[in-house]
Amino acid sequence: MSNTDEHQQKTDCSCCGWANEKVAPQIFPMTQEGRLQMYGANRRWIGLSKGWTRIGEGQSEFETRTSASSKGESTVKSPEQEALAVRALISQLCEHFFKKNWAPGTGGGVRQLCITRFSFVNCDCPAHDPCPALCTIGWYSRRRTKREQTLESLRGSIFRLHQLLYRDDVFELDMESNVVVAPKTPGLRQSACTRLWYVVFEERANATCVIHTHSMNSMLATLLDPTEESKTLKITHLEMIKGVGNHAYDDILEIPIVDNRPSEDMLEDQLREAIRAFPKCNAVLVRRHGLYVWGDSWEQAKTQCESFDYLFESAIKMKELGIDPGKIPKVGTFRVLEKEMSSPPNKKQKTGGNAAAGFNASQGIENAEDLQSNEVPIMPRDAKVLLLDIEGCTTSISFVHSVLFPYAREHLSSYLETNVNATQKEQYLKALSKEVSAISGGESVKQDIVALVQYLMDRDVKSATLKDLQGKIWKAGYTSGQLKAHVYDDFPLTLQWMKQNGVRTYIYSSGSIGAQKLLFGNTETAGNLLDHFAGHFDIPTAGPKKEAPSYTKIAKAIDVPIEEIVFVSDLKAELEAAASAGMKYTIQSIRPGNAPIGKKQFPTVHSLLQLCGK
């Protein structure tokens, strides 16, 4: 064989599946010796360098977080050879992703940056020819001290189920989206998401490869929040978190979620905003669509894509088991136990949007500083009764103002139509009109039940009639299964401890007793908790929560000296009223999304389990 022939064989080899260039591609016999030869000396992925590791320079294998990867000497000798190698690599990756069902139909793509050349490939198959998978490639150039360009794969076609995408079935584009080299197969089209590849490279200076998948796990992961309003998916304390870059096992990984659009090119601004808002995350989810993920090499992008998909599948299955994948576990991990001995976690769990205020006129706002405090009051020995608020204490504020209140508004008219007779409507109208007149200051309000209810809700008025009507609407929702209540994970465990240790637990809320029982009788994660309560109080049975006589009335009703009652609430005004009535043990609840407490006046707890002794 001549030197020229040998060189040509090596060049072809680097582009057709064997990255180490040691031997030419060949069909190995399915014998022991053939397998030893195939798996003993030949790489089975087309590579652009002689080695790769997810651990970057200056790091060791013991690092808990890794970001940059490292690679060995390049195996390509010219821009032309690199272009051929990347084209073939893209074909190989597309086959791999198709087999994993990450790129079904016409979905999914890969793109890879090149060092010496600049091209972009993007193609869809002809409309009459269905595509089991797609891929495109493209070049991208940046201004640096040394000119660097990129070959990027977007979408090409696997024309039939068992045929591969060929390296020549791609478009090469320049940065202005001009076609530099057209595909050989006629009728191919560029992808609608061409512009999105550029967005990633523009926003992530170190990114050299981007992968887009339509995997079932990534799509379903965007629907774990049934409201479909969440801006992120949170996952923590899973080993594979280390595989997505910039995160350790016990970090809280937040993957941004953007809403889907009719065409992918419309996602440009949303994708750019999400990438900027979450600089540590190497991926963006598109709701009801799929995933975009990138890395500083094709190997890192592939590794991270596989790790993300594992995490999405884990989150889905954890949700089926009733486990929140974004919650730090109380037990089962050494790192968590360590933290509990020193300080509580300082990662803030966002609980809702900018909806109307909750029962206590408080909203889910930033209180990160409060979450870093570490006072741990224990239930006093002589305390016989635990009196609990609901919102911001046992239950997330966002559940009330983002779920319950909107549900009552939405179903008010239909409930009145199907469940309230003419006499009852007249009674509701009379009572609501009286309450509105007392606060309207002469303002004209339409004398209609719906209008009066909305007027009171908009102003967060503690109306007994309103609470009664809301409670009945919620009851219908709970009965139908449309509503399931939120309680913090520590709450059921606290109730068990109190019951086992002879402490009676009561609920005191501005929400009606009926609404309280509906909430605690229909929790999403703990089922029916009503057997754990000794009783309930609301405004009609006890009085306003910010007035001292209300607490005196409760102590008298349960026949316990007021100084033996422990009261926990998120609002300082309520705690001040209880203290002025003679309660010795008034404790402020700090939960993610509660209003900031400002200057501390009362002992605080971040979990009701902090009240429980050993």
Side-chain angles (χ1 to χ4, degrees), residues 188-294:
L188 300 184
R189 299 188 303 269
Q190 295 182 39
S191 168
C193 60
T194 299
R195 181 57 199 155
L196 302 185
W197 309 142
Y198 289 118
V199 169
V200 175
F201 291 127
E202 289 166 2
E203 297 298 327
R204 287 288 184 266
N206 295 325
T208 66
C209 181
V210 185
I211 296 171
H212 174 44
T213 79
H214 287 195
S215 84
M216 185 67 71
N217 291 329
S218 63
M219 188 279 292
L220 290 177
T222 67
L223 302 177
L224 289 178
D225 171 18
T227 69
E228 298 192 46
E229 295 178 348
S230 57
K231 301 300 182 184
T232 63
L233 171 64
K234 296 180 182 179
I235 302 174
T236 188
H237 285 73
L238 292 177
E239 180 66 13
M240 287 297 284
I241 289 176
K242 295 194 294 189
V244 303
N246 301 317
H247 291 80
Y249 155 78
D250 54 352
D251 288 340
I252 294 180
L253 168 66
E254 284 192 81
I255 307 107
I257 303 175
V258 300
D259 290 331
N260 198 24
R261 305 287 293 274
S263 178
E264 284 177 286
D265 60 300
M266 299 178 180
L267 292 169
E268 179 179 346
D269 292 341
Q270 294 164 261
L271 182 65
R272 190 184 300 278
E273 182 180 349
I275 293 173
R276 290 178 178 177
F278 294 86
K280 286 181 61 179
C281 189
N282 293 320
V284 173
L285 283 164
V286 183
R287 204 181 314 274
R288 294 177 176 264
H289 182 153
L291 173 75
Y292 286 86
V293 57
W294 52 86

Side-chain angles (χ1 to χ4, degrees), residues 377-381 383-386 497-498 503 566 610-613:
I378 300 297
M379 199 75 180
R381 291 181 183 273
K384 304 299 181 185
V385 169
L386 176 62
W497 187 92
M498 296 297 165
V503 178
V566 175
Q610 291 176 250
L611 299 172
C612 304

Side-chain angles (χ1 to χ4, degrees), residues 289-354:
H289 182 153
L291 173 75
Y292 286 86
V293 57
W294 52 86
D296 64 8
S297 62
W298 73 265
E299 294 96 334
Q300 187 188 62
K302 175 178 173 291
T303 297
Q304 293 181 167
C305 188
E306 292 166 345
S307 299
F308 274 114
D309 200 74
Y310 174 96
L311 293 172
F312 298 151
E313 183 176 9
S314 299
I316 293 165
K317 293 184 175 179
M318 290 171 73
K319 187 77 171 179
E320 291 174 353
L321 294 172
I323 302 170
D324 186 343
K327 288 281 186 70
I328 296 176
K330 298 295 181 183
V331 295
T333 169
F334 180 78
R335 292 290 298 276
V336 168
L337 294 178
E338 252 187 351
K339 286 181 178 180
E340 287 183 347
M341 295 298 292
S342 57
S343 63
N346 59 9
K347 298 287 186 180
K348 179 179 181 292
Q349 300 286 320
K350 297 179 183 176
T351 58
N354 297 320

Side-chain angles (χ1 to χ4, degrees), residues 161-204:
L161 191 58
H162 300 296
Q163 287 184 329
L164 299 178
L165 164 68
Y166 295 103
R167 69 188 183 193
D168 291 332
D169 283 331
V170 296
F171 292 85
E172 290 189 20
L173 309 180
D174 61 21
M175 193 53 186
E176 285 70 42
S177 299
N178 301 310
V179 176
V180 178
V181 180
K184 289 184 178 180
T185 302
L188 300 184
R189 299 188 303 269
Q190 295 182 39
S191 168
C193 60
T194 299
R195 181 57 199 155
L196 302 185
W197 309 142
Y198 289 118
V199 169
V200 175
F201 291 127
E202 289 166 2
E203 297 298 327
R204 287 288 184 266

